[in-house]
Amino acid sequence: MLLAARAVQAVGGGGIVPVATAEFGTTFPPEKRGLALGLVGRVYGIANIFGASAGSLILSVFGQANWQFIFYVNVPICAFIVVAGGVVPADTPGDH
């Protein structure tokens, strides 16, 4: 079960980079597009560094026998995104 869940997570996670890049590329005007895409890259870089450190911290706090707690970090993040997605109205190009 854990392996199957990890495969689903990998498929979803693999689409984040191209979708975010495409969204920022179409949302911002050409003169600000470089800055926006640079900020996206910055977030990915910080996440790569912070993610490994956060995982190590969780293992240090809960112990290596409880490694499953690493996956529970995503639960409040996902809950926030689902709630925000329902509350924040979509901004489509046709709305302007």
Side-chain angles (χ1 to χ4, degrees):
M1 179 64 181
L2 184 62
L3 198 57
R6 179 62 182 110
V8 170
Q9 181 187 15
V11 169
I16 290 174
V17 174
V19 169
T21 304
E23 178 64 26
F24 276 78
T26 58
T27 302
F28 288 89
E31 62 273 2
K32 296 200 183 235
R33 197 168 293 156
L35 174 66
L37 293 174
L39 290 174
V40 170
R42 178 179 170 188
V43 168
Y44 290 142
I46 291 171
N48 280 329
I49 295 169
F50 178 73
S53 299
S56 296
L57 177 67
I58 291 169
L59 285 179
S60 295
V61 170
F62 293 107
Q64 291 185 3
N66 297 320
W67 57 266
Q68 299 91 340
F69 283 102
I70 291 176
F71 296 99
Y72 295 136
V73 169
N74 293 324
V75 173
I77 296 169
C78 290
F80 172 76
I81 291 172
V82 168
V83 170
V87 173
V88 176
D91 184 27
T92 59
D95 290 343
H96 299 294

PDB file of all heavy atoms in Angstrom, residues 27 34 37 47 86 95:
ATOM      1  N   THR A  27       0.559  33.952 -16.984  1.00  0.00           N
ATOM      2  CA  THR A  27      -0.100  34.931 -16.128  1.00  0.00           C
ATOM      3  C   THR A  27       0.590  36.286 -16.152  1.00  0.00           C
ATOM      4  O   THR A  27      -0.064  37.322 -16.173  1.00  0.00           O
ATOM      5  CB  THR A  27      -0.160  34.421 -14.676  1.00  0.00           C
ATOM      6  OG1 THR A  27      -0.851  33.170 -14.655  1.00  0.00           O
ATOM      7  CG2 THR A  27      -0.874  35.391 -13.771  1.00  0.00           C
ATOM      8  N   GLY A  34      10.404  36.911 -16.495  1.00  0.00           N
ATOM      9  CA  GLY A  34      11.687  36.405 -16.008  1.00  0.00           C
ATOM     10  C   GLY A  34      11.774  36.453 -14.491  1.00  0.00           C
ATOM     11  O   GLY A  34      12.253  35.509 -13.855  1.00  0.00           O
ATOM     12  N   LEU A  37       9.399  33.675 -13.055  1.00  0.00           N
ATOM     13  CA  LEU A  37       9.965  32.335 -13.189  1.00  0.00           C
ATOM     14  C   LEU A  37      11.187  32.159 -12.299  1.00  0.00           C
ATOM     15  O   LEU A  37      11.443  31.065 -11.787  1.00  0.00           O
ATOM     16  CB  LEU A  37      10.301  32.047 -14.651  1.00  0.00           C
ATOM     17  CG  LEU A  37       9.081  31.937 -15.565  1.00  0.00           C
ATOM     18  CD1 LEU A  37       9.510  31.807 -17.016  1.00  0.00           C
ATOM     19  CD2 LEU A  37       8.206  30.780 -15.159  1.00  0.00           C
ATOM     20  N   ALA A  47      12.895  24.789  -1.165  1.00  0.00           N
ATOM     21  CA  ALA A  47      12.170  23.582  -0.762  1.00  0.00           C
ATOM     22  C   ALA A  47      13.086  22.360  -0.743  1.00  0.00           C
ATOM     23  O   ALA A  47      12.958  21.503   0.141  1.00  0.00           O
ATOM     24  CB  ALA A  47      10.994  23.342  -1.702  1.00  0.00           C
ATOM     25  N   GLY A  86     -11.059  26.442  -2.409  1.00  0.00           N
ATOM     26  CA  GLY A  86     -12.496  26.647  -2.400  1.00  0.00           C
ATOM     27  C   GLY A  86     -12.903  28.062  -2.048  1.00  0.00           C
ATOM     28  O   GLY A  86     -13.980  28.521  -2.424  1.00  0.00           O
ATOM     29  N   ASP A  95     -11.713  37.125 -17.181  1.00  0.00           N
ATOM     30  CA  ASP A  95     -12.318  37.947 -16.137  1.00  0.00           C
ATOM     31  C   ASP A  95     -11.932  39.413 -16.250  1.00  0.00           C
ATOM     32  O   ASP A  95     -12.573  40.279 -15.650  1.00  0.00           O
ATOM     33  CB  ASP A  95     -11.901  37.441 -14.743  1.00  0.00           C
ATOM     34  CG  ASP A  95     -12.531  36.104 -14.424  1.00  0.00           C
ATOM     35  OD1 ASP A  95     -13.510  35.742 -15.096  1.00  0.00           O
ATOM     36  OD2 ASP A  95     -12.046  35.423 -13.502  1.00  0.00           O
TER      37      ASP A  95
END
